[in-house]
Amino acid sequence: MTTTATKTRRPAKTAAPRKSMEEKKAQAAALHESIATQVEALRDSDRWTAFLDFAAAFHSYSLNNVLLILNQRPDAERVAGFRKWQGLGRQVRKGEKAVRIFGYSTKKVTEEDENGDEVEKRIARFPILSVFDIAQTDVIEGETDRTIARQLTGADDHGIVDALSAYLDGEGWTVERQDLTGGRNGYSDPEGQRVVIGNHLSPEHAAKTMIHETAHVLMGHVDDLAEYAEHRGLMETEAESVAYVVAGLVGFDTSAYSVGYVAGWVDADVELIRSTAARVLATAHQIAAILDPEDEDEDTDEADAA
């Protein structure tokens, strides 16, 4: 005897009412302000105090060394020597490739001056040093992880990676997925006009990183590497703020990563975050229109009506 299974039909999902452009602009502005609010809350927490103690251990590198670091690891955040990392409770992974920078030291020498007298002088030396980025390290067992940005784990990229890849391709850029070493998430290569996204990322984190890197491209952050190195904190804040706002408009929350990331780059300066609003929101709306072309059509209609 043949039996036929009866399928229960589920009611079709009712599409949410489409928001007007003005409603989306208001939502985007509220999302950007929420970054500042959450950074302010983080600043008053024990997590931030622990992070500051951690961050205080790092050197401030010269512009030349920053450029050297970025040429070797475009997404490097904090670098230190092998033993320095151990002292901070983290271990450099076996097989990680060191970043080479110039150190500074002086050597005392004795020379004769023009009168034949012996005088001591100090000669500057610039030895080559090996350092590693925090992404090349892991927390040593039993130590506390004092980082403040947590990876996203969502299983949906909301169509963002393909949509922004197609857009960048039309602008002469290529998007590549690679097995990035040392936990790197992604980077933009202006010379090769490439955006690289790590294969290890969850779909949701890959989407966030894709928005972040597209923001760098659209905002001109990667046009001049020296300019980027000099103003990196501001530019990283802008790009990550764009990622947070666009993700919020699409319907997912990146605050677990974005709030700590932004706070770290601007030293939790809430007013500096707020000062980026105009540029961040303009770029966020540009990317939102790429993801949903109907937004661009509506914006054009409003401009024509005005």
Side-chain angles (χ1 to χ4, degrees), residues 67-88:
L67 289 170
L68 281 173
I69 292 167
L70 293 178
N71 272 314
Q72 294 167 81
R73 284 188 70 90
D75 63 343
E77 292 184 39
R78 297 183 184 277
V79 300
F82 187 90
R83 296 197 182 282
K84 181 74 170 180
W85 277 123
Q86 289 180 323
L88 292 169

Side-chain angles (χ1 to χ4, degrees), residues 149-293:
R150 304 287 188 257
Q151 292 278 317
L152 307 179
T153 58
D156 187 356
D157 83 342
H158 307 276
I160 288 171
V161 173
D162 285 347
L164 293 185
S165 295
Y167 170 78
L168 289 173
D169 182 66
E171 297 296 310
W173 287 70
T174 59
V175 176
E176 301 174 9
R177 297 299 296 266
Q178 292 185 8
D179 294 326
L180 297 180
T181 59
R184 291 193 292 175
N185 293 335
Y187 63 91
S188 299
D189 169 21
E191 186 174 344
Q193 286 202 295
R194 297 182 308 146
V195 166
V196 179
I197 306 294
N199 277 329
H200 66 287
L201 299 176
S202 71
E204 193 169 79
H205 204 103
K208 185 215 69 69
T209 301
M210 191 73 204
I211 301 169
H212 179 109
E213 297 304 332
T214 302
H216 275 316
V217 173
L218 293 178
M219 300 178 92
H221 291 164
V222 294
D223 293 348
D224 183 334
L225 191 58
E227 181 78 7
Y228 169 72
E230 190 173 352
H231 302 289
R232 192 179 181 197
L234 176 62
M235 293 181 179
E236 288 299 325
T237 295
E238 289 181 338
E240 189 62 23
S241 296
V242 170
Y244 176 81
V245 170
V246 173
L249 291 173
V250 170
F252 66 101
D253 182 8
T254 71
S255 57
Y257 184 88
S258 297
V259 172
Y261 186 90
V262 168
W265 279 113
V266 295
D267 196 24
D269 186 340
V270 174
E271 292 311 310
L272 180 56
I273 295 168
R274 291 187 171 119
S275 75
T276 67
R279 280 173 53 77
V280 165
L281 293 177
T283 306
H285 290 306
Q286 187 177 356
I287 294 177
I290 294 167
L291 297 174
D292 186 355

Side-chain angles (χ1 to χ4, degrees), residues 5-13:
T6 303
K7 293 184 178 179
T8 303
R9 289 189 178 181
R10 296 180 180 178
K13 290 183 179 179

Side-chain angles (χ1 to χ4, degrees), residues 22-183:
E22 287 307 313
E23 288 174 323
K24 289 182 179 179
K25 286 181 177 179
Q27 182 187 3
L31 283 165
H32 186 259
E33 175 58 25
S34 77
I35 299 176
T37 303
Q38 290 180 79
V39 166
E40 197 164 27
L42 175 63
R43 188 178 61 190
D44 297 332
S45 71
D46 291 339
R47 282 180 64 206
W48 181 248
T49 303
F51 173 74
L52 285 183
D53 291 341
F54 177 66
F58 296 89
H59 295 294
S60 294
Y61 289 101
S62 67
L63 178 59
N64 283 340
N65 269 337
V66 171
L67 289 170
L68 281 173
I69 292 167
L70 293 178
N71 272 314
Q72 294 167 81
R73 284 188 70 90
D75 63 343
E77 292 184 39
R78 297 183 184 277
V79 300
F82 187 90
R83 296 197 182 282
K84 181 74 170 180
W85 277 123
Q86 289 180 323
L88 292 169
R90 301 185 74 94
Q91 180 65 51
V92 176
R93 296 187 201 95
K94 186 177 181 180
E96 288 288 351
K97 184 179 179 182
V99 175
R100 307 291 184 179
I101 63 171
F102 288 112
Y104 176 79
S105 65
T106 60
K107 181 181 180 182
K108 186 186 295 185
V109 296
T110 302
E111 297 179 348
E112 286 189 359
D113 64 14
E114 56 187 13
N115 298 318
D117 297 324
E118 289 190 346
V119 293
E120 285 189 349
K121 289 185 177 181
R122 287 194 172 272
I123 299 175
R125 304 172 64 192
F126 301 93
I128 301 296
L129 303 180
S130 295
V131 294
F132 300 86
D133 182 48
I134 188 171
Q136 298 174 277
T137 70
D138 294 311
V139 178
I140 295 172
E141 188 174 354
E143 296 284 349
T144 301
D145 183 1
R146 289 180 279 177
T147 56
I148 51 176
R150 304 287 188 257
Q151 292 278 317
L152 307 179
T153 58
D156 187 356
D157 83 342
H158 307 276
I160 288 171
V161 173
D162 285 347
L164 293 185
S165 295
Y167 170 78
L168 289 173
D169 182 66
E171 297 296 310
W173 287 70
T174 59
V175 176
E176 301 174 9
R177 297 299 296 266
Q178 292 185 8
D179 294 326
L180 297 180
T181 59

